Amino acid sequence: MSPTPPSHVEVDDTPVIDDDGDSSLGTCPSTASTSLHSSVQKYEWKHGRRYHSYQSGSYNFPNDEREQDRLDLIHHVFFRLLSDKLFLAPIDPNENLRILDIGTGTGLWAIHLGDEFPHAAEIIGNDLSPIQPQWCPPNVRFVIDDVELDWAEQAKYDYIHVRYMAGGIKDWPRLVAQIYAGLKPGGWVEFQETANTLYSQDGSLTKENAMVKMMDGLMEACEKIGRTLDPAPSIEGWVKDAGFEKVGVRRFPLPIGAWPKDARLKEVGTLMGVNFTEGVEAFTAALFGDVLGWSKEEVSVLNASVRNAVKKGDAHAIFDFLVVTAQKPK
């Protein structure tokens, strides 16, 4: 049964912040073309953080262990927000499906799927960075490549999953067209992205709030480099333009902080608060410093203000989390 998103997030008047199963694991194959191998294994260091070097500049966030921990936290946030579901498309991976996870990051979604659906034929995680684990379910493997280049692989997929790619794609309509071409007739695609304009339902979040200022700056910087931070509102139109059918859009409120009364939303909100307080440095370092030209001192002040705003907890900030599913005609 699909999760039902609440229309209103009730505020808990007394919020309190409270300080996986075994799987059959095998060596996890990770492939890159011979010409790419040396470059994908190298990294760039800037702002005291590690960044990918292959297709440098395509992704303006770190890939070091601190960032990997944050990405794993975000995986748990989205999983819990969708009532412990990895996808909402009407598929059964155990029906020998061939699956692609675009922008797999640490590979946790692909590994989680492989654990839950051992009869899926193959689950391939694609990313620019070779940061995936060496051990994973036997039906999971990873490919290090740029998904925005021409897709050379001829074999088609039954399901393609795209999540948390805001700020990382130059040409979304072209990517959607490649996804369409890469699916078998009757195959499904699913996008999971936050609409990255913060708001509150009770007027408690104002434009002066540091969280809003950070998001506004990130959006401005990503527009400058031609990689929108807010693709979510446009995805429905892009998939329709590409020829997909049975397009469905579901919207889930994603709170920042422990203020919601609902237990599940309190949990994900608490983790999103951690995402902001622990991740703000990763968000702002390259985009504010290198793209917007802010000084280190200005960025540090903003980061501290964001952390303080989250910890204060009086602004009931929400993102909308959009899940868009669509089917290629049979």
Side-chain angles (χ1 to χ4, degrees):
M1 185 174 180
S2 295
T4 302
S7 59
H8 181 77
V9 182
E10 190 175 355
V11 178
D12 188 347
D13 293 331
T14 56
V16 178
I17 301 179
D18 297 323
D19 283 332
D20 296 8
D22 293 339
S23 62
S24 177
L25 300 178
T27 302
C28 204
S30 181
T31 62
S33 68
T34 303
S35 61
L36 296 178
H37 186 74
S38 61
S39 63
V40 301
Q41 295 295 337
K42 294 179 181 177
Y43 301 106
E44 291 184 356
W45 295 85
K46 56 185 178 181
H47 307 294
R49 303 294 296 271
R50 190 187 74 185
Y51 293 75
H52 73 98
S53 62
Y54 171 54
Q55 299 293 82
S56 179
S58 297
Y59 185 72
N60 285 276
F61 304 99
N63 69 358
D64 51 27
E65 290 187 5
R66 287 166 58 192
E67 179 67 359
Q68 291 174 43
D69 289 343
R70 189 187 72 80
L71 292 175
D72 288 348
L73 178 145
I74 286 295
H75 169 77
H76 183 73
V77 165
F78 294 160
F79 179 68
R80 292 291 290 145
L81 187 65
L82 298 182
S83 298
D84 299 348
K85 294 183 183 297
L86 292 168
F87 57 87
L88 299 185
I91 62 168
D92 180 0
N94 275 335
E95 293 181 345
N96 205 38
L97 297 194
R98 189 166 188 265
I99 295 168
L100 174 65
D101 181 28
I102 290 178
T104 196
T106 64
L108 191 52
W109 184 90
I111 291 169
H112 196 163
L113 191 75
D115 273 340
E116 286 200 9
F117 298 94
H119 298 297
E122 187 175 35
I123 302 165
I124 300 172
N126 165 281
D127 205 86
L128 287 171
S129 292
I131 57 174
Q132 300 77 33
Q134 294 297 311
W135 296 93
C136 62
N139 59 350
V140 175
R141 68 181 176 94
F142 298 111
V143 175
I144 309 305
D145 207 351
D146 185 351
V147 75
E148 292 203 87
L149 299 178
D150 291 338
W151 292 16
E153 189 174 16
Q154 298 301 310
K156 305 295 185 182
Y157 297 94
D158 298 287
Y159 172 71
I160 296 179
H161 175 261
V162 188
R163 187 181 73 177
Y164 206 49
M165 292 293 287
I169 299 297
K170 192 85 170 177
D171 190 341
W172 276 94
R174 182 177 187 271
L175 175 61
V176 174
Q178 292 206 102
I179 290 171
Y180 185 92
L183 281 168
K184 298 175 184 177
W188 285 85
V189 65
E190 180 164 343
F191 297 87
Q192 298 183 4
E193 292 287 343
T194 53
N196 282 320
T197 299
L198 280 172
Y199 68 96
S200 60
Q201 294 176 336
D202 58 5
S204 59
L205 183 72
T206 67
K207 63 181 180 179
E208 288 77 26
N209 189 286
M211 292 185 287
V212 174
K213 291 181 178 179
M214 179 189 72
M215 293 307 302
D216 286 348
L218 293 176
M219 293 238 256
E220 178 188 354
C222 285
E223 288 301 320
K224 280 192 172 185
I225 63 175
R227 297 181 181 275
T228 179
L229 193 70
D230 199 26
S234 302
I235 291 174
E236 180 182 5
W238 290 331
V239 297
K240 289 180 177 178
D241 290 345
F244 283 97
E245 299 177 342
K246 297 182 181 177
V247 179
V249 181
R250 306 200 67 187
R251 188 179 299 261
F252 299 82
L254 178 59
I256 312 298
W259 56 267
K261 189 172 184 178
D262 175 84
R264 186 183 299 272
L265 292 180
K266 182 184 289 293
E267 177 189 346
V268 300
T270 299
L271 294 175
M272 284 297 293
V274 174
N275 178 54
F276 266 42
T277 57
E278 299 294 325
V280 61
E281 179 186 304
F283 304 155
T284 59
L287 290 174
F288 277 78
D290 299 340
V291 179
L292 297 182
W294 285 35
S295 68
K296 289 183 180 180
E297 292 75 16
E298 289 172 323
V299 175
S300 294
V301 169
L302 174 66
N303 292 350
S305 298
V306 169
R307 294 187 183 102
N308 289 336
V310 174
K311 290 175 181 177
K312 192 174 180 182
D314 57 348
H316 304 144
I318 298 173
F319 287 118
D320 280 338
F321 182 69
L322 272 64
V323 180
V324 180
T325 56
Q327 185 180 36
K328 182 175 180 176
K330 294 181 180 179

